[in-house]
Amino acid sequence: MRKAFFAAAATTATLAAVAATLPAQAGTVHHAQKGIAVKYKIVASGLHGPRHIAFAANGDMYVAEAGKGGHGACIAGGEGPSCFGWTGSVTRVRHGKQHRVLTHLASLSDQGNGESPIGPSGLAVVGKHTLVLSMGLGGNPKERKKVPARAQKQLGHVLSFNLHSKKATSAGDLAAYEKKANPVNDPNSDPTGLVRMGKAGWLITDSGGNDLVSLKNGKVKTVAKFQSRKSSELPPGSTYESVPTDVVKGPDGAFYVSELTGFPFIPGAARIWRVVPGHKPKVWASGLTNVTSMAFDGKKLYAVQIADLGLLDAGGPEGSLRQVFPDSSGKASKPIATALFAPYGVAIHRGAAYVSLGAVTDTDGIVIKVPLS
C-alpha cells in the first residue's frame, strides 16, 4: 500500500486528546444492535501501538506491539520519513499479570515521533515455547539497507522466537520476495496478519504488496492478489488499492482475508474474501470499512473496523467490533461494540472478544475484554 495505514488519520493534537480519553481500568462500550451498554474489562495497558492478539493453549494472552520507532536512521515511508528504533515488543498476560516477554524488536514510526508505528504485527503461538511474528516494513525493500544489519533481518520478515532463549530465526523474508515478485507497480512490503497452514506452513497478508502469500520451509509463494478498484467517488481513471490486513481459517476449512482499502479509505468499500488456495478468491462479505483483524467463534465471524467513518475522518480513528455476515444474508455486519479508539486486533477466548485499542499511539494502547453473550 503506497500510503501508510494511519498517516492521514488525525493530527498529533487530535490523537493525543483522544488517547487521553482511554479508560484506565474498566467501563462500558455501547452495544448498538441491542441498544445497551456492554461491560468490558481492561486486561492490558501501556502498550506501544498494539496490533494482533493470540492465545496459547494454557490461556496466556500475547499482544504484538508495533513499538514507537525511534531517532535512528529513517527510510522512505508511505507518507514521508519513517524512523527506526528498537521499541517493538510482545506482551504476555498470564493470570492477570502483564509482562513483556520480547523486547528490543525493530520498529519504525512517522519521523520518529512514535505515531503510526510499524513493527511486530501478526503473531501465533506454537507449542509451549515458540512465538511466530510477522514484522512490518511499510516501504520499498531496498530501504532496509538504511537501518542496522540486525534490523534488516527483522523488518519485512516472519520471525520465530524461542521464549526461553529469546533467540529469533527468520522463517522467511517476505520483503525480498515482494521485491522480486512485485505484484504492484513498485516494490512494497508490509507483512501483517498470519495464520498456520498445515503443520509447517503459514499464510500471511502483505499489506504493502496487496497480496496473500504462503511460507513453507523458507520459500514464499503468491496465493492471491488483490487488485485496485475504481470508484465514482474518485476522479475518472483513478483507483484505490485493495489492502489485505489479516487472514484466518474458517470452520469450513477455507481462509478468510480482511481488507482495509487504500487511500482515500472510502467508507463501506472494504470486503472480506474467501480464499481456497489454488482457486480464485471470492468476495464473502462487503459494505465494511477499514477492517484490520478478524476472528471466528465457531461459525460466527467477528471483525474490527479501525475507523467506522474512514481513516480520513477529522475526528480521528474511532472504530468498532462487529459480527460479519455473508452478503447473501442481506446485511454485511452488526455492531457489537462501538466508539472504540483506533481498535486493531481481535481474538476470541472463552466466550469473550479481546480487542486491542490505540493502534496509532506510542504508549497508551490497551486490550479490552468484551463479553459476546
Side-chain angles (χ1 to χ4, degrees), residues 63-124:
V63 187
E65 298 176 76
K68 47 187 176 180
H71 300 291
C74 300
I75 72 170
E79 290 292 333
S82 186
C83 302
F84 170 77
W86 293 107
T87 56
S89 56
V90 175
T91 282
R92 180 184 67 202
V93 178
R94 172 182 288 175
H95 304 309
K97 295 183 179 180
Q98 179 178 332
H99 173 65
R100 284 193 171 96
V101 293
L102 295 176
T103 58
H104 296 91
L105 303 180
S107 174
L108 300 163
S109 72
D110 290 349
Q111 302 184 58
N113 61 14
E115 292 178 10
S116 307
I118 292 176
S121 180
L123 80 165

Side-chain angles (χ1 to χ4, degrees), residues 230-290:
K230 296 180 180 180
S231 171
S232 60
E233 298 186 30
L234 298 176
S238 299
T239 61
Y240 64 97
E241 295 179 60
S242 173
V243 181
T245 50
D246 196 15
V247 54
V248 296
K249 188 174 184 179
D252 57 353
F255 294 93
Y256 292 77
V257 177
S258 59
E259 185 178 73
L260 183 96
T261 69
F263 183 88
F265 313 112
I266 300 170
R271 304 164 293 185
I272 291 176
W273 296 85
R274 184 177 184 271
V275 179
V276 177
H279 296 79
K280 186 177 180 179
K282 295 182 179 180
V283 174
W284 185 79
S286 58
L288 301 163
T289 303
N290 299 161

